[in-house]
Amino acid sequence: MPDGLQGPRSNTASESVRLAWPSEAREIADLQRRAWSTQPNEIAEALLDAIDAVSMADAWHAAIVRPPQARCRVLVAVENGRVVGFATTVPGQDADLDDAEVGQLDELEVDPQAQHRGHGSRLLNASIDTLRADGFRRVVCWISAVDDARRAFLLEAGWATDGSWREIGSDERSVRLKQVRLHTDLG
């Protein structure tokens, strides 16, 4: 190639998405805590106070080695051997869904320091491929009603709101988060 010109950036082995390894549970927990810390202060504090880092890592380890169902998966985005994002896929969790037909993208997070480098798109695509391979025909996910960036990302990828919403939060109702549900077909 002539000097100064480069071909398209390739998706090399240094940037990939794969199933998580048990030894990565602590990295995933740490990444999740960093992602939670970017939430509005009241929500971040409630999330971070709800579970300590060691318990969170133990929960991730269990999710990787002993998932509650065969179709529950933990995927990681890796860059230069370091976990920079994760996603979880599960059967649909809501009462109005047929969990044999509808899967759920339960979580998708990219390390705040690794965003805007394609990891979110790779995680989303790998999650969709995983859900499709697990036999789901449709997929849903819940996002914060005020997370405009995540909503734009998913809408651009072909998702749409389905009209469902919920509020989640602390039992004493002092911290509440309104969420909307998005969906897409896997056909």
Side-chain angles (χ1 to χ4, degrees):
M1 245 180 228
D3 286 352
L5 296 179
Q6 297 177 354
R9 186 173 177 194
S10 65
N11 183 11
T12 65
S14 67
E15 295 177 346
S16 63
V17 174
R18 60 169 168 70
L19 290 172
W21 298 336
S23 61
E24 295 168 327
R26 180 58 189 243
E27 284 181 87
I28 296 168
D30 290 345
L31 189 155
Q32 185 174 35
R33 294 181 75 78
R34 284 191 301 277
W36 282 358
S37 70
T38 66
Q39 298 293 316
N41 285 343
E42 184 177 88
I43 293 170
E45 287 176 19
L47 290 170
L48 293 168
D49 289 347
I51 185 169
D52 63 90
V54 172
S55 298
M56 185 180 273
D58 290 345
W60 279 111
H61 187 269
I64 295 165
V65 299
R66 288 183 311 280
Q69 295 181 33
R71 296 190 300 171
C72 295
R73 315 259 188 230
V74 179
L75 304 170
V76 291
V78 179
E79 180 180 78
N80 298 320
R82 186 174 75 84
V83 173
V84 294
F86 69 89
T88 58
T89 62
V90 298
Q93 302 292 297
D94 300 321
D96 66 328
L97 302 176
D98 176 355
D99 66 357
E101 298 283 323
V102 182
Q104 184 167 325
L105 178 61
D106 199 40
E107 298 191 55
L108 189 152
E109 294 292 347
V110 174
D111 193 320
Q113 299 169 352
Q115 292 181 357
H116 308 292
R117 296 200 300 247
H119 301 301
S121 295
R122 280 189 287 282
L123 274 169
L124 181 61
N125 290 331
S127 297
I128 294 297
D129 290 345
T130 299
L131 288 157
R132 189 178 290 121
D134 281 340
F136 296 111
R137 302 173 92 144
R138 191 167 74 95
V139 62
V140 298
C141 72
W142 288 97
I143 65 167
S144 168
V146 297
D147 191 342
D148 295 335
R150 188 175 304 249
R151 183 191 317 246
F153 170 72
L154 291 168
L155 292 176
E156 187 175 312
W159 293 64
T161 58
D162 73 359
S164 298
W165 65 274
R166 69 182 182 186
E167 264 191 26
I168 61 172
S170 60
D171 290 337
E172 72 277 356
R173 303 187 63 80
S174 63
V175 178
R176 304 300 291 171
L177 176 64
K178 187 171 183 177
Q179 294 183 314
V180 295
R181 191 169 72 185
L182 281 72
H183 71 109
T184 192
D185 288 329
L186 298 178

